[in-house]
Amino acid sequence: MSLFSATGLVKSFHSLRATDNVDISVNANEVHALIGPNGAGKSTLVNLISGLLPVDAGLITLDGQDITRLKAHERVHAGLSRCFQVTNLFKEISVIDNLRLAIQAHEGNNFKVFGVRNHEAALNEKARALGAKVGIEGESVLNSMAGSLPHGAQRQLDIALALAANPKVLLLDEPMAGMGPDESARVVELIKGLRQHMAILLIEHDMEAVFQLADRISVLVYGKVITSGTVDQIRNDPKVQEVYLGS
Ligand code: ADP
Ligand code: MG
């Protein structure tokens, strides 16, 4: 059984079926990429999976648990984290404070057993370790205001915030959007490292990045998965070339 699976997902907006009976699964240590043209229903699917939108029909399971009706924060607690494309950052406070807040949000009052001084030290250490996981390190970077970081580094920080919950499954919605080639290459390497520890569902427009990262690719068009396969299968699939790559 897959670590994560969504089966028969349906979501309509009035008469439009934005998600039309979609099945998608992700195994441990796998990157499953979801591609498709604008309006295909990718963001809707991410919102259904992360719990921002209720499904009309379908089943979502994580590690054997039915999470279909759980609220978004309950899904995070169950092991499903999502990146929010930078909008999740507190831009007016420092990078280290963003990291500290993310850790506190997930650890609740666990630090209380230590006393204030140890609490501070332990929290700082965890915040630094979390930043280092995504390549955000060094005093000057950690003490900068989050909003002053280059776009690519803000994305890396956003991924770190999602990792604070120790997810089993990470949902990445266009992590390379708006990045230059150097920044994209850095995030590709970052995702390769993350895959050692979790399952990743990657929604991405940057085909270079998808071809480098994906173990499996599913192609979504008008709310339906029209085909799924390995990088080579998808690259050579005439249906895909017609609807997506050729456009
Ligand atoms: P993608 O992310 O692949 O570009 P979306 O999931 O954003 O696609 O959109 C899929 C379709 O659903 C589009 O036709 C879009 O206009 C429509 N849609 C998305 N969200 C809503 C909404 N809240 N209300 C009405 N229509 C929506
Ligand atoms: Mg979208």
Side-chain angles (χ1 to χ4, degrees):
M1 200 171 89
S2 295
L3 182 58
F4 171 86
S5 85
T7 320
L9 289 193
V10 175
K11 183 71 189 180
S12 297
F13 299 112
H14 308 287
S15 61
L16 174 80
R17 275 206 164 198
T19 307
D20 193 357
N21 208 14
V22 168
D23 296 338
I24 195 153
S25 64
V26 196
N27 299 315
N29 310 117
E30 181 186 41
V31 175
H32 190 158
L34 182 73
I35 64 172
N38 274 333
K42 302 180 298 293
S43 294
T44 302
L45 191 60
V46 169
N47 290 335
L48 295 175
I49 291 172
S50 58
L52 293 188
L53 277 177
V55 300
D56 294 342
L59 174 71
I60 306 170
T61 67
L62 174 62
D63 213 359
Q65 183 190 357
D66 180 351
I67 63 165
T68 317
R69 307 281 158 202
L70 295 189
K71 296 192 171 74
H73 72 272
E74 294 169 330
R75 294 181 201 208
V76 175
H77 193 68
L80 179 77
S81 281
R82 154 188 199 172
C83 258
F84 277 91
Q85 303 197 340
V86 178
T87 53
N88 217 26
L89 304 181
F90 291 107
K91 299 205 179 194
E92 308 289 318
I93 64 172
S94 68
V95 170
I96 186 92
D97 283 342
N98 270 275
L99 293 164
R100 287 160 49 111
L101 283 171
I103 289 165
Q104 280 180 309
H106 296 292
E107 299 205 340
N109 292 325
N110 290 354
F111 281 109
K112 277 212 173 123
V113 289
F114 299 115
V116 176
R117 191 169 301 170
N118 288 334
H119 166 138
E120 274 298 300
L123 184 56
N124 275 329
E125 195 176 312
K126 288 193 175 194
R128 283 163 193 274
L130 180 60
K133 275 189 190 169
V134 300
I136 296 283
E137 47 201 336
E139 289 313 303
S140 70
V141 173
L142 290 170
N143 293 315
S144 317
M145 216 163 61
S148 73
L149 293 181
H151 180 73
Q154 289 192 36
R155 281 287 164 95
Q156 286 166 255
L157 178 58
D158 189 52
I159 293 173
L161 302 190
L163 295 179
N166 278 320
K168 296 171 191 164
V169 179
L170 181 64
L171 203 53
L172 295 171
D173 192 2
E174 300 194 21
M176 281 81 168
M179 284 189 176
D182 291 351
E183 289 177 326
S184 288
R186 205 172 307 139
V187 173
V188 165
E189 290 311 311
L190 170 58
I191 294 172
K192 282 183 184 168
L194 295 178
R195 173 182 24 204
Q196 312 298 321
H197 309 284
M198 63 196 72
I200 298 174
L201 181 58
L202 170 71
I203 287 90
E204 184 52 59
H205 267 302
D206 179 341
M207 298 306 294
E208 268 309 301
V210 166
F211 288 153
Q212 283 183 62
L213 283 167
D215 298 294
R216 254 193 305 168
I217 301 175
S218 289
V219 184
L220 193 68
V221 180
Y222 292 124
K224 284 191 197 325
V225 174
I226 60 159
T227 184
S228 270
T230 62
V231 169
D232 284 342
Q233 287 166 338
I234 295 300
R235 260 190 169 140
N236 297 316
D237 187 329
K239 251 189 315 186
V240 177
Q241 289 170 355
E242 188 186 317
V243 299
Y244 192 75
L245 300 175
S247 69

